[in-house]
Amino acid sequence: MTGPQPLKNLKVVEFTHMVMGPAVGAILASLGAEVVRVEPIGGDRTRRLIGSGAGYFPMYNRHKASICLDLKSADGLAVARDLAAGADILIENYRPGAMDRLGLGYEALSEANPRLIYCSEKGFLPGPYEERTALDEVAQMMGGLAYMTGPPGRPLRAGSSVIDVTGGMFGVIAILAAVEERHRTGRGQKVQSSLFETTIYLIGQHMAQLAVTGKPAAPMPARISAWAIYDVFETADDKPIFIGVVTDALWEKFCALFGLDDLWADESIRENTARVLARDRIMPQIRDLVKTWTRDDLIAKLEGTGLPFAPIGRPEDMFDDPHLLASGGLEPVTLADGRATMLPTLPIEMGGARPGGEAVLPNAGADTKAVLAALGYDEARIAALLESGAVEGDG
């Protein structure tokens, strides 16, 4: 990798699938950690998902090594234990109890490696629900996010795996906190994050709204906005744009910019709360005004004014976004089938540089021999493991 690598000396072993667990490893790997991903014989089934799942593997498994193990075999389990014995961090997101039944739970592994930080990514933190099966969509529906996203009576999941990814981010936060504590104590610990509790944290602002106002929050499409102008507007060329006017100073600027002398002359709506109450009177005029402009002309008009605005983008538009291309927001990735693409790097900057760098997605088990050799296995032992089927890879 060419970007900053603050976690370069950390060794991570990952027993994960789908999105939440792999997202933890993807973030650590992009920050320079050495991540070895353990896949089942034949490779992780996430590799073969279609439809909306087709992007999961390439997005969340870059900058990792791959080894395929048969965890139902004694030899495969022995390799897994050796990987954990030499690791700083272990990540898993299997069903509750699955790793314990394999002898790969925290209690067992921490005996051999007291410095191990063991991150479990689950549907629920310990409590009455912890044995339930949860997915991103389950958590969104159960925790109130889908209710807040769709129109009244029509719960709608968000248009991305936001809970999986945010839950993964909370897992990384817990891991890094545990690494810092290990500097002081010399010991690792088990950390957990979950889909359900992540959802609750995200909708906490709406819970707080009830506490402050005494009224439940309405779903976002039916909300009473905090600002009078905070909407998606139609344009002359049918390319919608979002515009927000979120301060009284911006209201003055907006009126001057678009020649709305009559609205600015109305001193009764100089203050935001008054404009919100007069929204039904103000908005038709604003919508008619915006409809006379093309989207590109509006962008040119609004650029540099300090007024919040956004053309309504689609995921496919981001490949050609000039800001992302100029700022290193996309990194070159070679897919497992050899095709080249660009995918988002971590949305942070460190020391003036973006983390990550060019990545090649490994085929299942592409690094099996190298990983085993790094554990100290000699060629004969590696060959025997491959022959027995306990491990697989490297062609």
Side-chain angles (χ1 to χ4, degrees), residues 198-393:
T198 291
T199 308
I200 301 309
Y201 194 87
L202 294 184
I203 62 97
Q205 66 192 84
H206 304 306
M207 297 169 67
Q209 180 181 336
L210 171 62
V212 170
T213 68
K215 297 178 181 179
M220 296 299 273
R223 65 185 162 170
I224 298 174
S225 175
W227 302 281
I229 300 173
Y230 198 75
D231 293 83
V232 175
F233 295 88
E234 295 298 324
T235 62
D237 52 353
D238 295 322
K239 296 179 180 179
I241 188 170
F242 169 85
I243 300 174
V245 180
V246 295
T247 69
D248 295 336
L250 286 177
W251 170 245
E252 181 177 6
K253 182 175 290 187
F254 182 78
C255 289
L257 191 66
F258 289 100
L260 297 170
D261 298 336
D262 57 331
L263 288 178
W264 179 247
D266 187 348
E267 296 187 4
S268 71
I269 54 173
R270 293 276 177 90
E271 198 274 330
N272 178 68
T273 300
R275 289 194 299 278
V276 172
L277 295 175
R279 176 179 162 85
D280 290 344
R281 174 165 63 89
I282 296 171
M283 283 302 293
Q285 184 174 347
I286 304 301
R287 291 196 183 280
D288 288 345
L289 167 73
V290 174
K291 186 68 174 174
T292 66
W293 289 74
T294 66
R295 186 184 68 178
D296 288 348
D297 285 344
L298 273 170
I299 291 172
K301 185 78 167 176
L302 292 164
E303 194 76 70
T305 65
L307 283 156
F309 71 93
I312 308 305
R314 301 166 300 178
E316 56 264 35
D317 299 333
M318 299 305 112
F319 288 105
D320 301 312
D321 184 87
H323 178 84
L324 294 175
L325 293 175
S327 65
L330 302 175
E331 63 184 26
V333 177
T334 302
L335 302 176
D337 62 7
R339 287 180 296 138
T341 188
M342 301 284 283
L343 292 175
T345 189
L346 289 187
I348 61 174
E349 186 178 280
M350 299 186 70
R354 298 293 292 269
E358 187 171 354
V360 177
L361 282 174
N363 288 312
D367 307 287
T368 293
K369 291 180 182 178
V371 170
L372 294 177
L375 290 175
Y377 293 15
D378 60 26
E379 290 186 8
R381 186 176 181 187
I382 293 171
L385 286 169
L386 288 165
E387 179 68 24
S388 71
V391 305
E392 181 183 69

Side-chain angles (χ1 to χ4, degrees), residues 92-110:
E92 67 90 14
N93 73 321
Y94 290 115
R95 287 179 59 86
M99 293 288 281
D100 293 294
R101 288 189 292 273
L102 291 168
L104 299 175
Y106 173 69
E107 297 300 330
L109 296 181
S110 63

Side-chain angles (χ1 to χ4, degrees), residues 145-157 218-222:
L145 182 58
Y147 171 84
M148 290 303 300
T149 303
R154 292 170 55 194
L156 181 67
R157 68 157 287 164
M220 296 299 273

